Amino acid sequence: MSRLVATAALFAAISLPAMAGEIRIACYSDGNECEATTELAKRFMAANADVKVVIDQMPYKAILESLPVQLAAGQGPDLARVTIFGPVMKYFMDLKPYIKDPGYWEKSFGAVLSWMRPDAKDKGIYGLPTQMTVTSPIVNKTLFDQAGVKLPGANASWDEWAAAVDKVAKATKTPYGMAWDRSGHRFAAAAISMGAKYFNADGTPNAVDDGFKAMASRFVKWNLDNTVEKDVWAAAGGGYRDAFEEFANGKIVMYHSGSWQLSRLQKQIGDGFEWQVVGNPCDVACSGMPGGASFVAFKDSKNPKDVGRFLDFLADTPVYSEWMAMTNNIPAHAALQKGGVAYKLSPAGNAAVQMFGANAAKLSPVAYQLQGFPYAGAMFNPTVDRLSQAISGQITLDQAYGRITSDVADALAAAAKK
Amino acid sequence: MSGVDRLAGGLYAAVMNLPERPMRWAQGHLRDGRLGWLFVGPNLLVFGLFSFLPIVIDVWYAVTGGTELLPGNRPFVGGENFATLLRCSDYLDANSCARDQFWYGVWNTLKFVGLQVGFMIGFSLLTALVLNRKIVGLGFFRAAFFYPVLLSPVVVALIWKWILQREGVLNAALQGMNFQGENWLLDAHWSFFWTVFVSIWAHMGFYTLILLSGLQAIPRDLYEAANMDATPPLRVFWRITLPLLMPSLFVVVVLGIIRAVQIFDEVYVLTGGGPGSATTFLVQYIYTTGFAQAVREYGLAAAASLLLAGVLLFFTLFQLRGMTKNAR
């Protein structure tokens, strides 16, 4: 029902004809991004009376499933907050002619702008990153203290972490050691640490290699021996699911998620227990996965100049800094990453921001390459579906590897037909 | 008669006579037999636009490939999508098929239809027979059995998810009675059982109502005559009730099968098709392939939906034939 309502809302919102000087934005929130953008938009409209910014807030699933259909029908919004670019990339509008200083954008957001480009040759600017995210484990430090177990060191491996959280869970009678968001992106973060390359030397995709298998076999085993909460991946089919509620309710010791949870950590847990963001476990690498949503512009926009003006306003360093502080997001702005965002966070929140930053600095080049691959989703989705089948005993791990490989090949073949 | 009444009467007559002129014109200008088209025209237009045209578009998508949404941009691939779906080395083993998820969907759907329809009709018939007797609280029981039908499928699924999840109501109750809880939605067999159970719970009220009306239409004098002959109750059921209930039972069977083949909403919310693909049904495969994958394969989804439509068409024609036979 909620999906139907969301789809109807999205359809209604973006089917309305744009008026002169009106910008419609399809927005979803990880925390309070749409509300914060609405606040800033009011300020923009006060200074630019000829432009009306309308923000239509909707669930993430509506952006994933309904936006591509609306864009294909030529009924899309002017801007949308998008995190998986591949399915909507062909509708992107190059903002270069409409923004004041493309050089400033390149200098400030260059590392993330390339994710929105179809290939390395393309130099267009298609959107404004609304955050920079990095996957990281978050632990319930209180449970570690209660169990009298020390946090594993900065370079501890996934196996060491699994052993430690298992020990804590048993000592404190916590149901599970870990939970991972049901997401191929989160799995990739761990697999890259284990040495997964995701691409051949010539750049062609290769989802399953020895590093991938090393992580997959561990992950399935951990699900079967209750080190990892099985319900998140195996009991729920049908796509993404996060495990934040399990963490917030003290049912797991370690939660493999990322920096976008900061607002919820602050708001929902607060000082309910001591939580701590830790470094990504190290094996071959100590990598997580980067990511983040961007406001991308679409070429069917009737008001591209106004879109450019609004994004220029948001991209301006002081405004962008304020925006990041309002949303507790890590900036994708190179200068602000070095400091300069005046967050209003608790001591745990401030420590978390520092650790997210440190984890971002250790990201493997493979992680950036994978995040920038337009069909990364075609690798992530089969990973989740097939490993879930392996966890529930429907297929063997070897069958899962074969199926992931063929699913990726089928998806890329379908995409190649255009 | 007051002035207001006269005015209202005049207005009413004017409104009612509005079609008079165009009708006279149509009768004068249209030849015999053509006038009917004028009446069915608006309905045909709506049907054509919202039912027939989507079917034509669906067929076009099924014979075209790629990921483009607009029909004109899609390359023609003929029967390739059907061939891809049907490519298997052993149709009984989904894992041997090129698109294993489609075949998991097919076999799960068949299993679901057999179990759900069979049990649901059995329970509905039993319930209707009980509700057809003079029992205490008859109105309450009739309402109680029909109540779930009024709930949205999503609400039904959320209620049962709340009951069945690991720390749900059912496990809490079991543990309260010193029994061990079970991972109802984590075990493939239990998960399938609960999808069937929840679906029966949600829909049997509707079918019970149809059967109850069928039971009430059976002439009472037949039962009185049987009573006078001291006919045993089981014989009354087999010789009077069941034969005379057959038309209603036939409708219930066909409607139940059609509804079961289309199962999606409740199961999608309750289990999401999991664990693994244990409760992935055909409609969920179509939805996922067409709308929830990173690379959307509209052609495959359309081909699968046409295969499903074929099955539904078969049952619909079967029902129509049966109803015509009964009417005669």
Side-chain angles (χ1 to χ4, degrees):
Chain A
M1 191 66 184
S2 61
R3 195 177 61 252
L4 280 177
V5 172
T7 308
L10 175 68
F11 188 84
I14 60 191
S15 297
L16 295 172
M19 295 185 298
E22 183 179 284
I23 309 169
R24 294 200 84 93
I25 304 176
C27 181
Y28 81 91
S29 282
D30 296 304
N32 65 338
E33 285 80 0
C34 301
E35 291 84 350
T37 309
T38 305
E39 282 304 304
L40 294 173
K42 280 180 192 162
R43 202 187 304 167
F44 171 79
M45 286 188 285
N48 300 273
D50 58 324
V51 184
K52 188 182 174 195
V53 181
V54 181
I55 296 176
D56 302 309
Q57 194 166 349
M58 54 203 57
Y60 178 55
K61 211 170 166 74
I63 297 277
L64 278 184
E65 293 178 6
S66 306
L67 183 65
V69 178
Q70 297 303 321
L71 288 165
Q75 297 290 320
D78 299 279
L79 287 167
R81 187 164 189 258
V82 173
T83 183
I84 297 175
F85 303 118
V88 290
M89 198 171 257
K90 61 187 167 194
Y91 308 106
F92 283 180
M93 173 175 75
D94 188 359
L95 288 162
K96 266 186 175 168
Y98 308 110
I99 52 178
K100 269 189 283 185
D101 183 3
Y104 164 79
W105 280 59
E106 287 287 356
K107 194 175 143 197
S108 305
F109 307 106
V112 179
L113 293 181
S114 59
W115 295 345
M116 292 174 247
R117 293 171 181 149
D119 53 58
K121 288 177 207 157
D122 191 291
K123 297 295 173 208
I125 295 176
Y126 299 103
L128 173 70
T130 64
Q131 64 186 167
M132 163 87 188
T133 64
V134 58
T135 63
S136 301
I138 306 153
V139 297
N140 185 327
K141 178 75 169 28
T142 303
L143 288 177
F144 270 91
D145 293 343
Q146 284 172 359
V149 176
K150 276 191 174 179
L151 286 176
N155 293 320
S157 66
W158 271 106
D159 286 337
E160 287 166 325
W161 270 104
V165 296
D166 196 37
K167 208 168 161 186
V168 173
K170 282 184 178 128
T172 57
K173 293 194 168 54
T174 305
Y176 306 98
M178 280 189 266
W180 294 20
D181 289 338
R182 193 173 194 271
S183 153
H185 180 268
R186 241 64 87 229
F187 178 84
I192 289 169
S193 282
M194 204 60 79
K197 295 273 183 276
Y198 279 93
F199 296 92
N200 295 315
D202 62 0
T204 53
N206 175 22
V208 180
D209 60 10
D210 289 343
F212 183 99
K213 287 179 182 174
M215 194 68 244
S217 58
R218 280 173 173 80
F219 184 63
V220 171
K221 178 182 163 289
W222 290 338
N223 269 278
L224 296 180
D225 67 15
N226 279 342
T227 303
V228 166
E229 185 184 355
K230 200 174 167 186
D231 298 37
V232 181
W233 277 57
Y240 177 78
R241 194 203 138 182
D242 79 16
F244 183 86
E245 294 303 328
E246 281 86 344
F247 184 68
N249 290 322
K251 288 178 187 165
I252 49 174
V253 181
M254 180 182 185
Y255 175 33
H256 180 37
S257 189
S259 58
W260 58 95
Q261 301 287 9
L262 186 53
S263 273
R264 293 172 83 189
L265 288 165
Q266 288 264 124
K267 208 166 153 185
Q268 268 181 260
I269 301 175
D271 55 6
F273 59 82
E274 193 183 342
W275 53 270
Q276 186 178 328
V277 177
V278 296
N280 276 308
C282 299
D283 285 279
V284 176
C286 312
S287 186
M289 272 292 286
S294 295
F295 274 140
V296 290
F298 298 112
K299 57 190 170 193
D300 279 345
S301 171
K302 302 280 186 298
N303 302 304
K305 285 182 187 168
D306 297 325
V307 168
R309 279 162 74 191
F310 181 59
L311 291 182
D312 260 335
F313 165 78
L314 291 176
D316 187 37
T317 307
V319 176
Y320 193 88
S321 173
E322 188 184 345
W323 196 20
M324 295 301 106
M326 288 163 86
T327 56
N328 290 330
N329 275 323
I330 297 173
H333 190 294
L336 291 174
Q337 279 173 350
K338 291 168 191 152
V341 178
Y343 293 109
K344 288 171 189 157
L345 294 168
S346 64
N350 278 317
V353 169
Q354 297 298 318
M355 188 48 79
F356 286 134
N359 284 343
K362 289 184 191 169
L363 292 173
S364 155
V366 175
Y368 279 102
Q369 187 185 7
L370 179 57
Q371 183 62 21
F373 181 55
Y375 298 108
M379 298 216 240
F380 295 153
N381 291 359
T383 302
V384 173
D385 293 340
R386 300 309 183 172
L387 290 186
S388 296
Q389 281 185 285
I391 292 165
S392 58
Q394 199 168 35
I395 55 175
T396 65
L397 250 178
D398 282 335
Q399 284 175 316
Y401 298 146
R403 283 291 178 185
I404 293 169
T405 306
S406 64
D407 287 349
V408 174
D410 287 341
L412 294 179
K417 276 184 190 155
K418 291 291 178 193
Chain B
M1 191 184 272
S2 72
V4 175
D5 288 342
R6 270 201 300 276
L7 183 65
L11 275 173
Y12 177 75
V15 170
M16 294 309 286
N17 286 330
L18 264 182
E20 177 88 13
R21 278 174 181 272
M23 282 308 297
R24 281 188 187 285
W25 181 89
Q27 278 176 329
H29 288 79
L30 295 176
R31 275 187 291 158
D32 286 349
R34 298 240 173 127
L35 193 62
W37 289 104
L38 199 67
F39 293 103
V40 295
N43 188 31
L44 274 181
L45 189 73
V46 172
F47 173 79
L49 209 60
F50 296 108
S51 296
F52 188 68
L53 185 63
I55 293 172
V56 173
I57 294 172
D58 194 44
V59 172
W60 174 249
Y61 272 81
V63 295
T64 54
T67 54
E68 285 288 344
L69 181 68
L70 296 179
N73 298 341
R74 297 177 56 79
F76 183 78
V77 295
E80 192 183 302
N81 289 320
F82 293 98
T84 303
L85 288 175
L86 300 175
R87 198 181 308 135
C88 276
S89 52
D90 176 4
Y91 285 105
L92 296 177
D93 177 14
N95 287 328
S96 73
C97 302
R99 296 295 173 140
D100 61 328
Q101 296 293 339
F102 173 72
W103 285 98
Y104 276 119
V106 169
W107 290 120
N108 285 341
T109 305
L110 283 175
K111 201 163 86 176
F112 180 84
V113 169
L115 289 170
Q116 197 259 9
V117 175
F119 280 109
M120 189 174 67
I121 286 167
F123 287 129
S124 297
L125 183 58
L126 204 65
T127 314
L129 286 169
V130 172
L131 294 179
N132 197 35
R133 301 175 80 91
K134 283 173 187 161
I135 53 169
V136 180
L138 184 65
F140 167 76
F141 285 116
R142 281 184 184 173
F145 279 103
F146 192 71
Y147 177 68
V149 179
L150 302 175
L151 297 176
S152 132
V154 175
V155 173
V156 167
L158 288 174
I159 291 171
W160 280 99
K161 196 170 188 172
W162 180 61
I163 294 170
L164 297 171
Q165 61 195 9
R166 191 190 288 269
E167 282 151 355
V169 175
L170 182 56
N171 276 348
L174 286 172
Q175 281 154 11
M177 293 184 285
N178 288 327
F179 290 107
Q180 209 169 2
E182 181 67 53
N183 292 330
W184 304 111
L185 300 178
L186 205 53
D187 176 90
H189 299 296
W190 275 121
S191 206
F192 198 91
F193 165 81
W194 284 113
T195 59
V196 173
F197 180 89
V198 170
S199 180
I200 291 173
W201 180 83
H203 300 289
M204 69 174 271
F206 175 69
Y207 299 104
T208 302
L209 207 67
I210 296 176
L211 292 176
L212 190 58
S213 66
L215 284 172
Q216 287 175 350
I218 298 173
R220 308 304 307 168
D221 50 358
L222 292 176
Y223 290 110
E224 282 161 15
N227 196 25
M228 285 170 75
D229 292 344
T231 316
L234 210 60
R235 195 173 167 80
V236 172
F237 175 75
W238 286 113
R239 296 290 179 164
I240 299 173
T241 308
L242 204 57
L244 292 174
L245 194 61
M246 267 307 164
S248 303
L249 212 51
F250 183 75
V251 170
V252 164
V253 170
V254 178
L255 287 181
I257 290 174
I258 292 173
R259 176 73 182 92
V261 171
Q262 293 173 324
I263 186 76
F264 172 64
D265 31 24
E266 287 142 10
V267 178
Y268 187 70
V269 177
L270 184 67
T271 68
S277 306
T279 57
T280 298
F281 297 107
L282 207 43
V283 178
Q284 187 181 336
Y285 172 80
I286 293 166
Y287 163 72
T288 308
T289 306
F291 300 104
Q293 282 184 351
V295 176
R296 289 152 194 230
E297 297 179 270
Y298 302 115
L300 271 186
S305 74
L306 281 181
L307 293 175
L308 178 68
V311 175
L312 293 176
L313 187 67
F314 170 78
F315 283 114
T316 308
L317 291 176
F318 182 63
Q319 185 198 12
L320 284 175
R321 201 176 157 199
M323 284 171 78
T324 315
K325 214 171 161 185
N326 282 327
R328 281 182 196 146

